[in-house]
Each structure stands twice: as C-alpha cells, then as structure tokens.
Amino acid sequence: MDPVTSRPHAAAPRRRLVVVGSGMAATRLVEELVARRAPDRMDITVLGDEHAPPYNRILLSAVLEGTHRSEALTLRAPEWYAGHGVDLRLGARVLGVDRERRDVMLVDGTLVEYDVLVLATGSIPSLPPIRGLVRMDGSLHEAVHAFRSLDDCARLVAALPGSRRAVVVGGGLLGLQVAQALGVRGIRTEVVEGAEHLLHRQVSAPAGRILARDLTKLGVAVYTGARAVRLVDGPGGPALRLDNGIALDTDLVVLTAGGRPSTALARRAGLAVRCGIVVDDRLASVTDPAVHALGDCAETVASDGRGRTTGFVSPAWEQAGVLAGVLCDEDVTYDGARIVARLRATDLEVAVLGDVATELAAGGEVVEVANPVAGSHRRLVVRDGRIAAAALVGDLSRIGLITQHFDRRTVLGPHEPGDLLLPERPRGGGNGAVDLPDDAEVCACAGVAAGRIRACSSLEQVRDTTRATTGCGGCASTVRRLLGSRPALATAQKGT
Ligand SMILES: Cc1cc2nc3c(=O)[nH]c(=O)nc-3n(C[C@H](O)[C@H](O)[C@H](O)COP(=O)(O)OP(=O)(O)OC[C@H]3O[C@@H](n4cnc5c(N)ncnc54)[C@H](O)[C@@H]3O)c2cc1C
C-alpha cells in the first residue's frame, strides 16, 4: 500500500529475460528459475538455434551406438516450457545483439527485446589443419563429419550403412566416445591422436594406455603421437595421411579434435572476450552488467586473475544454479573453484577432480593405484595433506568419498589417500553405497549428495527433484543402491 494515497502500489514492471542457446546450461538455468517461481515475476524467452527440444548432449554417442533413441535424450519437452510460462523458440538463431537498444535479432529479422540477456551459446568444434577437409567451394568433404549436435549424429548414423571403415581424428573425450560407438556398430575404426596418449588433458599416460586397450577390445586401432595432415581421394575411396607416413583408407572421417567457446555473437556485440566471454563472480559480462554468460561459452576469472573456461556439464550446471540466484536477486557468487567431471569414455568410466597438471606443477605429490589387468587407474594429487586434484579411470567405487574430501579440503592422515584408492570393501551384503555419508557426492554432474537421494522414494522423484542421473548417467547404479537400501523401500520391496 502507498502510505500517502492508500492506493495499492502499481505492480513492479515484469523484467524481460532472454536466453540465447537452449543447450544443457540454458536448460538447467530455466529449471532453476522455475524452481524459484521466477516466471511469476519475469518474462523468460529461450532462443535456441537447434530444432530438437533441449537434449542431453553427453548421450549423443549412445544414439550413435544404437542403445538410445534420439527422443530419449530430451531434457525437457516444449510442453514443459509452455506449462511453466516460458517462451521456448526452437530453430531461432540469434544473429546480433544491440546492447544500446537492448534487443537481439533472429535470423528471420525478428527483434526480441530484453532487460537482461543470458548468453549460453556453448562451444563450436575446431577444424584441425588437415588439407582436403574443406572443398574449394568451402563445403566439407562428404566423408567428413563433426559430432556436436543431434543433427551431426543423425548425419553420421545415416552414413553408417554404406561404410566399413572410419577414422576418428582426436583422442580426447569425444573421440573416445565416438570410437567406442563405431566399434560397437562393427565399423573398423582407427583413432588418431597427436599427443602421446589418449585423453591426455585429463589423465596420465598409464591411464591413457588402459583406455586404449579397452578400445582395442572392440577392434579399434589407436595411433598416438601422430597427426593427420591430408585427406586425399584415391581410386579406392578417401584416405587420411598421417605425418608419420601412414595412410589410412577410410569411408568416414569424424572430427573430434576439440572445440572452442562460441563467442562470435558476444564479440560482435562488443563484449569482452578472451578465450570465452569474460564474466565476473555474478556471471555478468565485465563489459555490460545487463548481459550474463554461462556454460562452455563463459570465461570466469580466478582470484589470481587467470581466466578459465570449462567444457564440462557439471560446472555449467553449477553456474546455472548461481546465475538463477543472481537473476532472482539472491546474494550469491560463483567462485569457479570446483571442476568435477564425470566422463563417459569407452566402456570405462572416468572422473576428474580439479586440474591435475596445475596441481602437480605447484608441487603436489602423486598417490596412485593402478591395475591395468582389471582396467583401472586411480591417481590423487595431494598438496598440504589435502586432495588437490584426482583422475580416476575404471574403478569409481570410492568417488563419493574422494569428492567429499576434495570439496571440503579435508586434511588427511598419511595413510588416508592410499586407503581411499583401495577398492571398496563391500559391507552390508555387498551394497557399498549404503555406507556413504549423507553429504558424500553421488552425482557429479548435478552436484547431488547421498542424503538428498535417500530422501527420495523413487528414481522418478530423484530425477525430477534433484536432476541426479540426468547428466552422464554414471551415478545411476549408486542411486539405485541408495534407494534400495532405504528401510521403508527395502521392506516394501521384500513384501512384494
Ligand atoms: C558428444 C559430446 C559428449 C560429451 N560428453 C561429456 C561428458 O561425458 N561429461 C561432461 O561433463 N561433458 C561432456 N560433454 C560436454 C557437455 O556436453 C558440455 O559441457 C555442455 O553441453 C555445456 O552446455 P552449454 O549449454 O554451455 O553448451 P551446449 O550444450 O553446447 O548448448 C549451446 C547451445 O547454444 C546454441 N547456440 C549457439 N549459438 C547460438 C545462437 N547464435 N543462437 C541460438 N542458439 C545458439 C547451440 O546450437 C547449442 O544448442 C560432451 C559434449 C559432447 C558434444
């Protein structure tokens, strides 16, 4: 009530929030805003250039492998957006941002006005310097495929029936996933990686060798320390020449040699861009506080002034939670300190905490346990008695506790790091998850601890209320075991 006129206050004007991109970060942001009932107070418009409803990019390789239908990857259907009063526009590519007028222009010329703009444009695949990839008219050679979107995936799946051989260029995360999927499909696949071992940014050489061995079980050959330099058309079809003189005959070339933040829109709008769109601890552009960025396209700045881009879903989702709070006037900031990623690579699961290389360079000591025969390699980097970083391949049974100590910066006793790397000794009928403390992290993608899962009564409730299991899916078995161990559920299940 206005104390002078005794009339009700005029309703506060509704803010117009426009989100560019409808990928994994944008979807999570909208979920977080809906959970805060933000659509009651602001008009939210999401502009995504892809035609498919927002989907789980991590599981694209499962579609390539043939274990998932593409529809199964949908994160939220268009009806969900409509039901929560959010205007989702698909096939809506944003061409330009006018920061003075505060509007964005779509490819069809439509202008959409904003009060607050969020850029969630993700990353774009890099084109490696290989002669012959691009034809004279600028188009890609027809044997060449990218692997970033559902459209890329559909094009590759469509090419499989006429193909016997494939070369995957890049032995990082994407390359491993694609090679595994093609191997399962019975395509004779070769991976070419310029570094000395696979997944070299995340894991050590012995762990990389374990991943390579896992791939060779599917008939996939791995060439490390070799670069593809030229794609040539011969009488028997295309061949990819390597810098060590080898030529690989192939029907398909899949480019998985990394990506870079998609920043062209921000750059054209005059926003500060280094590797990514530079944002402060409220995820606002350092150039314009009315513009925010998150996910793969954003570059956060650490306290030492160094910028950091991520490229994983877990930090993107963590940023989404913080940005939703910022947009709802909560007193929250993003410290950018935590990189925890669960990767779906080959048949073996991989988990990465922190930045192993940086912590080693800073004087961290390595504690590791390897069992190449069983296909596992676990490495902790310990600095000042704390777990400063970790990379685990194969056996992730202790990842919950390791993540908990990493997050809390627990000072460990001299034997504890080693003990944490020993395989879990099952207690309680082999159900090790039962022993996890409530605050041990189970889902690295959505940052969900065991206690929140125990509080749920079904897998559906876990998915809906916590979003655990909806990222890489690596936590699904632990979630099931935690649910199965709930006293009420366990009794009910016995009774049925
Ligand atoms: C095949 C694959 C496997 C992966 N596996 C893992 C994994 O196992 N673990 C992990 O942690 N991470 C993984 N990642 C990385 C993870 O998917 C990304 O970190 C995550 O998707 C980032 O979310 P984002 O919203 O920032 O970007 P994206 O999900 O890429 O979404 C960006 C969206 O913005 C759209 N867009 C761009 N420009 C415009 C514009 N001008 N107008 C409108 N829309 C626009 C794009 O088309 C895209 O839909 C994988 C990625 C790929 C491609």
Side-chain angles (χ1 to χ4, degrees):
M1 226 27 117
D2 185 312
V4 180
T5 62
S6 310
R7 278 200 299 262
H9 279 303
R14 288 173 66 81
R15 272 193 302 167
R16 294 159 302 178
L17 170 66
V18 172
V19 183
V20 182
S22 59
M24 296 193 72
T27 307
R28 184 72 179 173
L29 173 67
V30 175
E31 288 175 349
E32 293 277 354
L33 288 168
V34 165
R36 290 167 171 80
R37 307 177 69 91
D40 293 349
R41 305 182 296 280
M42 53 178 93
D43 295 325
I44 305 175
T45 306
V46 180
L47 306 168
D49 61 356
E50 296 190 62
H51 289 87
Y55 61 89
N56 186 341
R57 212 171 285 284
I58 297 181
L59 295 180
L60 280 178
S61 58
V63 176
L64 179 62
E65 193 173 313
T67 56
H68 285 51
R69 287 176 306 112
S70 52
E71 302 81 55
L73 270 50
T74 302
L75 288 169
R76 294 289 181 187
E79 298 75 38
W80 180 88
Y81 287 82
H84 288 94
V86 176
D87 180 9
L88 169 70
R89 302 192 204 170
L90 298 173
R93 179 161 188 78
V94 174
L95 276 192
V97 176
D98 187 323
R99 291 196 292 117
E100 249 170 50
R101 282 204 318 255
R102 293 209 172 171
D103 62 31
V104 301
M105 190 173 73
L106 304 188
V107 72
D108 64 1
T110 309
L111 293 177
V112 183
E113 295 180 339
Y114 68 82
D115 298 303
V116 181
L117 181 68
V118 173
L119 299 176
T121 48
S123 58
I124 42 176
S126 312
L127 203 60
I130 301 173
R131 284 174 69 190
L133 282 189
V134 182
R135 294 205 182 278
M136 296 295 275
D137 63 2
S139 63
L140 277 186
H141 187 292
E142 68 270 6
V144 177
H145 293 256
F147 197 73
R148 172 85 207 161
S149 66
L150 259 179
D151 283 349
D152 295 337
C153 185
R155 184 171 163 255
L156 186 53
V157 169
L160 293 182
S163 309
R164 285 184 303 113
R165 305 157 303 183
V167 179
V168 176
V169 180
L173 169 62
L174 248 63
L176 296 192
Q177 292 181 354
V178 170
Q180 152 97 8
L182 292 174
V184 169
R185 288 270 195 167
I187 305 281
R188 218 180 71 208
T189 304
E190 296 167 305
V191 179
V192 180
E193 165 58 49
E196 290 306 317
H197 65 88
L198 295 178
L199 213 60
H200 72 104
R201 289 216 183 93
Q202 283 84 24
V203 304
S204 60
R209 282 197 291 276
I210 288 173
L211 290 165
R213 208 191 55 181
D214 199 50
L215 280 179
T216 52
K217 283 189 205 149
L218 289 169
V220 175
V222 177
Y223 300 84
T224 52
R227 286 180 194 285
V229 287
R230 187 166 192 169
L231 180 64
V232 289
D233 283 312
L240 194 65
R241 294 222 172 109
L242 310 188
D243 60 358
N244 58 9
I246 293 177
L248 306 173
D249 293 332
T250 187
D251 304 307
L252 301 168
V253 177
V254 190
L255 303 179
T256 59
R260 56 193 164 78
S262 169
T263 56
L265 201 58
R267 212 181 275 278
R268 284 200 301 272
L271 298 168
V273 172
R274 291 196 296 216
C275 179
I277 304 164
V278 186
V279 291
D280 63 15
D281 62 359
R282 302 215 2 119
L283 298 166
S285 157
V286 294
T287 318
D288 182 347
V291 182
H292 295 261
L294 83 164
D296 283 3
C297 69
E299 176 172 334
T300 53
V301 183
S303 49
D304 60 6
R306 278 189 306 162
R308 192 163 74 183
T309 53
T310 58
F312 295 122
V313 81
S314 118
W317 281 3
E318 195 185 356
Q319 289 172 5
V322 172
L323 183 52
V326 167
L327 297 172
C328 292
D329 301 321
E330 292 166 19
D331 187 17
V332 284
T333 51
Y334 179 73
D335 64 14
R338 190 175 179 275
I339 295 185
V340 177
R342 254 324 241 278
L343 314 176
R344 204 178 168 274
T346 74
D347 246 0
L348 298 174
E349 276 194 272
V350 179
V352 182
L353 315 185
D355 185 337
V356 173
T358 307
E359 294 303 333
L360 281 176
E365 288 180 293
V366 171
V367 181
E368 66 186 6
V369 171
N371 184 348
V373 181
S376 76
H377 190 282
R378 284 154 291 156
R379 166 182 275 201
L380 303 182
V381 181
V382 180
R383 200 148 67 85
D384 304 327
R386 300 178 171 92
I387 298 175
L392 295 93
V393 172
D395 180 355
L396 301 196
S397 58
R398 309 299 296 277
I399 187 66
L401 280 180
I402 293 172
T403 309
Q404 187 187 20
H405 290 312
F406 171 73
D407 276 345
R408 289 184 179 171
R409 303 190 45 71
T410 318
V411 177
L412 302 173
H415 298 292
E416 272 185 283
D419 289 348
L420 280 169
L421 294 182
L422 296 176
E424 190 178 47
R425 282 182 209 87
R427 278 182 274 164
N431 191 349
V434 180
D435 299 332
L436 281 180
D438 275 353
D439 52 1
E441 187 171 84
V442 172
C443 175
C445 297
V448 183
R452 283 184 67 200
I453 289 166
R454 286 197 180 98
C456 295
S457 56
S458 67
L459 195 55
E460 287 67 38
Q461 194 186 359
V462 170
R463 281 196 195 118
D464 279 355
T465 58
T466 71
R467 308 305 287 153
T469 75
T470 63
C472 73
C475 62
S477 63
T478 310
V479 168
R480 273 196 211 94
R481 284 188 290 156
L482 281 169
L483 287 174
S485 69
R486 291 171 69 253
L489 207 72
T491 318
Q493 277 168 352
K494 259 187 225 153
T496 52

